[in-house]
Amino acid sequence: MLRQLRVANFRRFDNFTVSFKEGNILAGPNNCGKSSLIDAIRIIASCIRTMKKTTPTLLQLDDGRVVDGHIVPEHRIGINLANSIHNYNDDDAIIEVTLHDNSKGTVLLSRERPTRFFVEQDGKRLNSASKFNAAFPLNCAIVPTLGPLEQDEQWVEDETIQKRESARTSSRHLRNVWYRKSEIQFSAFATDVAQAWKGIEIKKPERQIGNSKFLQMYFSENRLDREVHWAGFGFQIWLQILTHLSRASIDQTIFIDEPDVYLHPDIQKKLVRILRERYSQFIIATHSVEIINDADSLEIVSIHPDLKNAKRIRSEEEYSRLYQYIGSSQNAELARVAKARKVIFVEGKDRKILTAFARRFGYQSLYSGSVPFVELGGFGGWQKAKHAVWAFKEILDLDVSVFCLFDRDFRSDPETCAFETKFHEEGLNCIVLRRKEIENYLIDADALTRAIRKRASEKDVIAPERSTILEWLDQISQTMKARVSSQIKEKFDLFGKKDRDQSSFDQDIDTCMESFEAKWLTFEGRIALVPGKELISRFNEKLQDEGIGNVTLKMVLQEMKEEDLDPFFREALLSLDRFCE
């Protein structure tokens, strides 16, 4: 996988670095340099592909170093290198890619000299094609810029398809590609098409009747057959994207530049889900609010050419600044509410974790993206949901169904019950989680144990036993007891003191704290009460001290089984899924 890309003196960038994780969504307005970063990868990938069987030669660099590398003819790169030098100066443009094994490949672009590509490996000679390729095992699949399908596609030789399968002209040979695929391969492709485009069945290409030099590819919709050339442009693009992805393997890094230009928002989300589920790493350049809204935690990377490094988005405030930067608004989200006639209100970024749970456990309607989410500010924001329903009905003349999901925070059982009752009396669906926040539902001893074992295996260290993991969680949670107890008492005080006489309130507060102490006696009770995000953060610090490294929420969720799900939370997911049908 890719670990880092650095470009210097390249197009819009003076000196800029992007660090990569498993999921990477490069976001920013037009002309900020997103596509230039994707092109930088295209250039270095083209150098590898075209030089793969060529013996390296010795290259003398301007700083005096002598390295094993290649002189790459510009026509072999497949990208116009004109204007690749920043501000048209005389210095070389540098593209430097570092992989997760710390191997590094560098391309030098010059106005006066040919393109040079080299790899360095601890002073070792890489004087054969096999040594050179082994020293820099970049494994990526780049979806080229896509265009409309040819109206008349001639049958071509296998060699032609192989040469152009990743080129910008690949759209000319879509039918040829699938004409040669097996029935099993085409069936998998047809299933992906049908899942994204309901009611459509794609059919295998066939020779044109009366003129076998040409190929035809039909799709069926509402029992009517049409040739793919007559489909909408978005459908044609989706067929091509799936075709390119079908050639990629699970261990490859997938690159796609602005797929949102022609795709419907629901298809954009479908694409990201496919990339997330099927490939070890993906990098998308986009300015789509739909893709940004649907991103998992830390997948969004803000690109700004005036900075030295790309910025990974971590907080609500940073998301707000990003939306302003890309020139977007949430009006599109309101339009989706009007179309769906349904909306789910959640707190903060609960949507991302909620849909991740839904995706993991097969609640398809919930994670399909058909019903939009709108963020509220906790219990105090419940009036926004009520006012939104009124506004849609009275101003837009739309009846919109609402479902609200709230974190419990430090609230007592009586306050939680009263809150839900108030919502239902207003005619609104509402669930208050029975744990402090949604992250608490990922604190499962068995899932954590499996995730930690996998992480320890990657680090080649001994994994702790399940009993040790429980002991660490217990130790951390016990340090929170006084603060949690104080917060619960304070919340109960605010909830009930105004409506009760002092003696009645004293009795109720005693009952509330007795209930707290009873829950705290069990591990499950403590895990429900403590701040989940903080517990996970401090637990990761312990794992770091033990040499294991962080275990992310995504890693834990991947290891969760159906029986690990809290029963209440399972019912909440089911209710939301039914609401989204």
Side-chain angles (χ1 to χ4, degrees):
M1 294 199 304
L2 271 73
R3 185 166 66 83
Q4 184 176 279
L5 167 67
R6 185 179 77 89
V7 293
N9 200 39
F10 179 71
R11 297 191 182 172
R12 293 211 62 192
F13 299 102
D14 178 28
N15 193 350
F16 191 78
T17 300
V18 187
S19 295
F20 296 113
K21 297 180 180 293
E22 292 178 358
N24 307 272
I25 298 174
L26 311 184
N30 288 326
N31 204 33
C32 72
K34 303 184 302 294
S35 296
S36 292
L37 296 174
I38 299 292
D39 273 351
I41 302 294
R42 290 184 201 273
I43 290 170
I44 205 164
S46 294
C47 290
I48 293 172
R49 184 174 59 254
T50 58
M51 298 290 106
K52 201 169 189 66
K53 297 180 180 179
T54 306
T55 301
T57 59
L58 288 175
L59 302 178
Q60 175 82 46
L61 303 182
D62 293 345
D63 60 7
R65 287 179 295 160
V66 177
V67 296
D68 291 300
H70 297 280
I71 301 295
V72 186
E74 183 171 338
H75 73 273
R76 302 284 294 276
I77 293 177
I79 292 177
N80 187 355
L81 299 181
N83 306 323
S84 288
I85 309 297
H86 181 61
N87 289 340
Y88 306 100
N89 59 45
D90 294 327
D91 296 332
D92 289 344
I94 301 171
I95 301 171
E96 187 180 272
V97 170
T98 305
L99 307 184
H100 266 268
D101 63 0
N102 288 325
S103 59
K104 184 183 297 182
T106 304
V107 172
L108 302 178
L109 306 174
S110 173
R111 296 177 63 189
E112 305 294 336
R113 292 175 290 184
T115 298
R116 289 155 291 163
F117 168 50
F118 63 90
V119 173
E120 295 177 278
Q121 190 181 59
D122 301 327
K124 297 178 182 178
R125 289 299 310 278
L126 305 174
N127 51 3
S128 70
S130 59
K131 289 181 181 179
F132 192 88
N133 295 329
F136 188 63
L138 177 63
N139 190 11
C140 63
I142 302 175
V143 176
T145 303
L146 305 173
L149 299 176
E150 295 287 305
Q151 179 173 351
D152 300 307
E153 182 176 326
Q154 284 190 324
W155 184 90
V156 296
E157 299 290 342
D158 292 351
E159 183 181 0
T160 302
I161 297 174
Q162 292 169 3
K163 285 182 178 179
R164 298 178 181 177
E165 65 179 4
S166 298
R168 296 173 187 266
T169 57
S170 63
S171 60
R172 298 175 184 174
H173 307 300
L174 178 84
R175 300 171 184 86
N176 272 276
V177 169
W178 288 110
Y179 182 77
R180 289 163 166 81
K181 297 288 187 181
S182 69
E183 292 295 337
I184 294 176
Q185 290 171 317
F186 187 80
S187 176
F189 168 69
T191 298
D192 281 340
V193 173
Q195 286 179 349
W197 247 272
K198 300 299 182 184
I200 282 185
E201 178 187 357
I202 193 76
K203 300 181 179 181
K204 207 169 187 293
E206 56 189 25
R207 297 272 189 165
Q208 191 177 106
I209 298 175
N211 192 346
S212 61
K213 290 183 179 180
F214 291 91
L215 295 176
Q216 293 178 319
M217 187 177 188
Y218 285 89
F219 68 96
S220 176
E221 183 179 22
N222 297 325
R223 298 182 180 180
L224 294 176
D225 288 350
R226 287 185 289 167
E227 220 284 328
V228 290
H229 172 71
W230 297 106
F233 197 19
F235 184 68
Q236 294 184 31
I237 294 297
W238 184 237
L239 293 180
Q240 294 175 68
I241 289 176
L242 291 179
T243 300
H244 287 290
L245 293 182
S246 72
R247 285 195 285 259
S249 59
I250 190 172
D251 60 339
Q252 285 187 300
T253 298
I254 310 296
F255 292 85
I256 306 182
D257 186 15
E258 297 195 352
D260 47 282
V261 174
Y262 302 109
L263 297 181
H264 184 276
D266 290 343
I267 306 300
Q268 296 173 28
K269 293 181 178 182
K270 176 69 175 178
L271 171 62
V272 176
R273 286 195 289 271
I274 288 175
L275 296 175
R276 196 180 284 134
E277 292 168 2
R278 299 184 187 177
Y279 304 100
S280 60
Q281 187 179 43
F282 67 88
I283 299 170
I284 297 178
T286 185
H287 47 69
S288 165
V289 175
E290 298 291 343
I291 290 178
I292 293 171
N293 281 342
D294 203 49
D296 283 351
S297 177
L298 298 181
E299 284 184 341
I300 305 298
V301 184
S302 179
I303 305 300
H304 199 305
D306 295 334
L307 303 178
K308 294 294 184 184
N309 299 283
K311 183 176 181 59
R312 203 162 286 271
I313 304 302
R314 300 171 183 272
S315 67
E316 291 286 336
E317 184 179 355
E318 289 173 343
Y319 268 96
S320 298
R321 285 200 294 266
L322 176 64
Y323 285 131
Q324 293 174 358
Y325 174 47
I326 64 178
S328 175
S329 71
Q330 297 296 357
N331 290 338
E333 197 72 9
L334 292 177
R336 291 186 65 234
V337 173
K339 181 179 179 181
R341 304 293 179 97
K342 294 180 181 181
V343 61
I344 299 173
F345 288 100
V346 294
E347 295 188 49
K349 292 300 174 184
D350 281 6
R351 175 186 61 84
K352 291 185 174 64
I353 298 178
L354 191 65
T355 52
F357 268 107
R359 183 166 56 247
R360 175 70 180 87
F361 293 104
Y363 295 97
Q364 188 171 352
S365 297
L366 177 55
Y367 78 76
S368 67
S370 58
V371 177
F373 286 77
V374 173
E375 297 167 8
L376 292 175
F379 271 32
W382 79 274
Q383 290 281 3
K384 294 180 183 178
K386 179 182 176 182
H387 294 159
V389 173
W390 178 89
F392 274 107
K393 184 173 180 60
E394 300 299 327
I395 298 175
L396 301 178
D397 195 28
L398 293 171
D399 284 321
V400 175
S401 299
V402 169
F403 202 121
C404 298
L405 185 76
F406 291 93
D407 292 340
R408 181 190 179 96
D409 201 18
F410 293 109
R411 290 171 175 83
S412 62
D413 290 339
E415 182 176 3
T416 298
C417 182
F419 183 82
E420 287 180 328
T421 300
K422 178 169 59 178
F423 248 82
H424 295 151
E425 289 173 351
E426 295 285 348
L428 304 175
N429 297 301
C430 174
I431 292 178
V432 179
L433 297 177
R434 294 307 188 255
R435 296 187 181 183
K436 200 273 181 185
E437 51 203 12
I438 196 169
E439 287 83 358
N440 290 59
Y441 289 101
L442 284 162
I443 306 173
D444 177 82
D446 293 323
L448 275 169
T449 300
R450 290 189 287 270
I452 291 168
R453 284 174 180 166
K454 183 175 289 187
R455 188 69 167 145
S457 176
E458 294 171 357
K459 293 277 190 175
D460 198 24
V461 297
I462 298 174
E465 297 293 329
R466 183 180 186 277
S467 58
T468 303
I469 293 170
L470 283 171
E471 182 180 341
W472 291 346
L473 289 169
D474 185 63
Q475 290 171 352
I476 297 170
S477 62
Q478 290 291 3
T479 65
M480 302 178 178
K481 181 178 181 181
R483 176 157 51 95
V484 172
S485 172
S486 175
Q487 290 278 359
I488 289 175
K489 188 173 183 179
E490 180 181 340
K491 291 288 185 182
F492 189 85
D493 189 12
L494 291 173
F495 164 62
K497 200 167 186 178
K498 292 181 180 179
D499 300 323
R500 293 175 173 83
D501 58 46
Q502 188 61 46
S503 60
S504 174
F505 174 76
D506 289 343
Q507 183 177 354
D508 289 342
I509 195 70
D510 288 342
T511 302
C512 175
M513 299 318 295
E514 286 173 4
S515 174
F516 164 77
E517 291 291 347
K519 291 179 181 177
W520 194 266
L521 290 175
T522 66
F523 174 77
E524 291 76 12
R526 287 195 299 279
I527 292 307
L529 294 168
V530 299
K533 288 191 286 287
E534 180 184 346
L535 178 63
I536 293 169
S537 176
R538 290 175 60 182
F539 182 71
N540 268 321
E541 291 175 4
K542 178 64 177 177
L543 293 179
Q544 290 274 22
D545 293 342
E546 297 294 326
I548 297 171
N550 285 349
V551 173
T552 66
L553 296 181
K554 183 177 180 180
M555 292 168 64
V556 177
L557 185 55
Q558 287 174 339
E559 297 301 322
M560 286 192 79
K561 300 179 180 179
E562 185 73 31
E563 59 266 27
D564 298 329
L565 266 182
D566 174 84
F568 176 86
F569 190 58
R570 183 188 294 111
E571 286 300 314
L573 291 172
L574 181 59
S575 296
L576 283 162
D577 190 63
R578 288 171 175 166
F579 176 77
C580 293
E581 289 178 349

